[in-house]
Amino acid sequence: MENSEITELQKLFAQKIDEAQMVLVGIGEEFNEDFADIGKFPLLMSALEEVDTNPTIEWVVPFLEKRYIEKHDEGRLISAYGNLYNLIKDKDYFIVTTCIDGNIGKAGFDSERIVEPCGSYKMLQCSKACTEDFTSPDDIVKLAEQALLDGVGLDSLEQPVCRLCGKPLVFNNILCERNYVESGYRPQWEKYTDWLQHTLNKKLCVIELGVGMGLPSVIRWPFEKVAYYNEKADFFRINEQLHHMTKELEKKGISVMKNAVDFLNAWNA
């Protein structure tokens, strides 16, 4: 897309948000953390090198990823979230995200207006899912970082295990695959569905940002349905590859063939 075309789409995007009474946002794969800046953190890099030479401590990697995410508070993803926040902060909004990295929490959004149905790095669960109890990962993350600072090696750490069955604890997100304990996000999902019920007769701006076909039943298909049945809705689908609009939404849908992160960061250009 030409810069002039992007500028016009930006203006339309901001206008439709400004005109809307309610804003529904879906955030997908283009916003996934890629750990591209991990080289800026030498301790974490050395830890990953240690894992490469000692596969028995691979369990530590997700805890290192969590620490990286906590430390990394800049870059294109954080900037894009910041620009989105500035656009919708004064609106009645709700955000559904399939990202598990939690970067969205760094931009100022109201956590009560976000649901993460794919989970996150916030809590640990039993890898066997023998219980729906959750445990904080903070102690393990701190111990791992201290081991790096002290130079004693990650093999000095003990893998956390479930107090009931003794199986390893893992982060409560879809990387658990079939054993993912979904009760972690359910309370927020109920808030989301309740909020959604109040959008039908309201002027609604529906926004898809980088949502692919990995989990279409979470955002893509439901958002299409919401936009279709609300006669007052505007619908933006912003995606570098999967930007195509369905025939049913051609009149109210606006397709933007651009990476959603880059589109939001164009405000900084």
Side-chain angles (χ1 to χ4, degrees):
M1 278 189 167
E2 298 292 335
N3 289 338
S4 58
E5 188 176 358
I6 291 296
T7 300
E8 289 305 310
L9 285 170
Q10 280 181 296
K11 291 179 181 178
L12 181 61
F13 186 69
Q15 176 189 332
K16 293 298 184 181
I17 291 174
D18 185 58
E19 293 174 351
Q21 294 171 283
M22 304 176 79
V23 179
L24 174 61
V25 181
I27 296 175
E29 292 91 323
E30 288 183 346
F31 273 80
N32 283 337
E33 175 62 70
D34 60 8
F35 301 94
D37 290 338
I38 200 165
K40 296 179 180 180
F41 302 93
L43 277 178
L44 294 178
M45 283 294 293
S46 65
L48 292 175
E49 292 170 1
E50 184 181 347
V51 173
D52 286 340
T53 62
N54 184 1
T56 64
I57 56 173
E58 286 183 355
W59 66 268
V60 182
V61 172
F63 294 89
L64 299 175
E65 292 174 345
K66 176 176 173 62
R67 193 64 183 126
Y68 167 83
I69 292 166
E70 290 174 345
K71 286 175 170 286
H72 190 233
D73 56 2
E74 57 184 23
R76 60 190 292 271
L77 292 176
I78 309 304
S79 175
Y81 278 124
N83 287 339
L84 176 63
Y85 173 73
N86 288 331
L87 286 164
I88 71 171
K89 63 182 179 181
D90 296 324
K91 290 295 177 177
D92 182 357
Y93 66 84
F94 216 104
I95 301 172
V96 184
T97 176
T98 59
C99 298
I100 64 173
D101 47 57
N103 280 322
I104 192 171
K106 301 174 183 178
F109 295 105
D110 183 350
S111 61
E112 293 299 307
R113 293 177 174 270
I114 302 171
V115 61
E116 301 167 296
C118 294
S120 67
Y121 284 87
K122 294 174 184 174
M123 301 297 289
L124 298 173
Q125 66 159 78
C126 173
S127 57
K128 187 181 176 182
C130 77
T131 174
E132 293 191 352
D133 291 344
F134 299 108
T135 305
S136 171
D138 292 346
D139 288 344
I140 301 298
V141 173
K142 290 176 182 176
L143 286 172
E145 184 168 38
Q146 194 60 49
L148 296 176
L149 291 170
D150 295 341
V152 298
L154 295 174
D155 55 1
S156 63
L157 301 174
E158 292 186 10
Q159 185 172 11
V161 297
C162 175
R163 62 181 178 81
L164 296 179
C165 71
K167 294 294 184 181
L169 294 178
V170 293
F171 282 99
N172 176 230
N173 59 49
I174 56 170
L175 297 182
C176 299
E177 298 178 344
R178 288 178 298 176
N179 289 334
Y180 173 42
V181 178
E182 297 187 4
S183 60
Y185 77 84
R186 288 295 181 188
Q188 279 303 112
W189 188 264
E190 291 174 4
K191 292 178 184 178
Y192 163 56
T193 54
D194 179 68
W195 179 90
L196 206 55
Q197 291 175 6
H198 294 86
T199 65
L200 189 57
N201 293 314
K202 300 288 180 65
K203 188 161 181 56
L204 176 68
C205 186
V206 182
I207 303 169
E208 272 188 14
L209 295 170
V211 177
M213 293 299 292
L215 294 165
S217 62
V218 177
I219 296 176
R220 199 170 177 100
W221 295 340
F223 275 39
E224 289 177 350
K225 185 176 179 180
V226 168
Y228 177 76
Y229 282 108
N230 187 325
E231 296 182 358
K232 299 178 181 179
D234 292 299
F235 183 38
F236 284 86
R237 172 165 283 161
I238 305 171
N239 193 298
E240 190 167 15
Q241 301 293 333
L242 300 172
H243 53 85
H244 305 91
M245 195 68 63
T246 64
K247 287 185 178 180
E248 293 82 3
L249 292 172
E250 283 180 348
K251 292 184 179 180
K252 64 172 66 175
I254 300 161
S255 174
V256 181
M257 187 178 61
K258 190 173 179 65
N259 180 281
V261 177
D262 295 337
F263 178 79
L264 286 171
N265 282 333
W267 264 269
N268 301 331

